[in-house]
Amino acid sequence: MPTLKDVAERAGVTVTTVSRMLNGRVNVSPATRQRIQDAMREIGYYPNEMARSLARKSSSFIGLIVPSAQNYFFAELVHHVEAAASVHGCRLMLCVSNQDGKVAQEYYQMLTSNKVMGVIMGNYEMSLDEVKRSAAPVVVFDQPADTEVPCALTDDIQGGRLAAAHLIDKGCRHLLYLSGNIQKNNVSLHRYEGYAAVCRECRVPSPMTVEASWEEFMTMNYDQSVSRLFTEHPETDGIFTSNDIMAAGVVQYCRRHSIRIPEDVKVVGYDDTSFASLCAVPLTTIHQPIEQLAQYAVECIVRRANGEMVPSTTVFPVRLIARETT
């Protein structure tokens, strides 16, 4: 494997000159810089970016911790964060926690000990104290009530309101909400609160709830929860789900059991990932501006790394996209 010494010999300079140029510690003449770069390319030498980061006590790496790489929302988030990081000349380090707080904490410590520019957290799984003690800028997509960390949010309450208003306007009177654990997940809770509020305002019975398991979330197979939904609540005529995969699971169940969509049951999903329009029956869903969220999070990291202040919380609007499930 080529070494720094090999580069120096090929370029006709000292090892110290090569090292200082790579770490940005000294200015070298354009001609010398070109000779060093040519030598690196000719012998196939690639600098150790992490080692350079430790030497400089900073880096161009941005860490991203997500609970799942299979979930369509987080998959699109990863794509857009990487694209936004590239615009700023940064590189992405991806970590998947599988929604394990201990694993998320280990990843966080690894990233910060390697002097990353900052860390973006796909959801909040660690203690706030851990983040407060870190010098690295952090941005999260879910916000605990007492957090002081910059947070990028979408208007989940409004998303729930839009879903309920649409279903009720379409004639639904027996509404149901299919989601993860409402009490443990702020996002699921806020969407339910908006959904239930419109039901009260329209004098429609409060929506029933069915909560999917973590195992179903990880495998993206919601057959068990969807089957329970129709078994326990056969009168349901309007369903709002906390992500598009759940909504697709409802569509599949209905097709297998000769339940007509949208004639018998209407369905509204959440996220509006590219998957939503490609479903067997294109999904009506609540659109989250995933690309804007990613761009904003990266910009916050870059600005904070440069010593600038950023808002503690920024809320992005959502909108309903009507398709064939309603």
Side-chain angles (χ1 to χ4, degrees), residues 13-24:
V13 299
T14 66
V15 171
T16 300
T17 299
V18 177
S19 176
R20 288 179 173 176
M21 189 204 83
L22 291 176
N23 291 320

Side-chain angles (χ1 to χ4, degrees), residues 163-164 166-168 170-178 195 199 207-208 229-230 233-241 250 262 264-268 325-326:
H166 183 69
L167 289 171
I168 292 170
K170 292 292 184 177
C172 299
R173 293 297 179 268
H174 301 285
L175 274 59
L176 184 140
Y177 180 50
L178 174 62
Y195 194 55
C199 288
M208 305 302 296
L229 180 168
F230 283 102
H233 309 286
E235 74 286 356
T236 298
D237 57 6
I239 300 171
F240 174 41
T241 68
V250 172
D264 300 327
V265 175
K266 294 174 174 56
V267 183
V268 177
T325 55
T326 55

Side-chain angles (χ1 to χ4, degrees), residues 161-233:
R161 292 186 63 88
L162 290 172
H166 183 69
L167 289 171
I168 292 170
D169 184 61
K170 292 292 184 177
C172 299
R173 293 297 179 268
H174 301 285
L175 274 59
L176 184 140
Y177 180 50
L178 174 62
S179 73
N181 189 307
I182 295 176
Q183 299 307 315
K184 292 183 178 180
N185 187 305
N186 283 340
V187 169
S188 294
L189 175 61
H190 292 162
R191 292 172 188 175
Y192 174 77
E193 289 174 344
Y195 194 55
V198 171
C199 288
R200 290 192 300 271
E201 293 165 8
C202 295
R203 301 186 183 278
V204 168
S206 295
M208 305 302 296
T209 60
V210 171
E211 296 182 358
S213 68
W214 170 239
E215 289 74 17
E216 288 177 296
F217 174 81
M218 290 301 296
T219 62
M220 295 191 296
N221 183 339
Y222 296 100
D223 286 353
Q224 184 175 353
S225 292
V226 174
S227 177
R228 188 169 80 251
L229 180 168
F230 283 102
T231 300
E232 297 178 0
H233 309 286

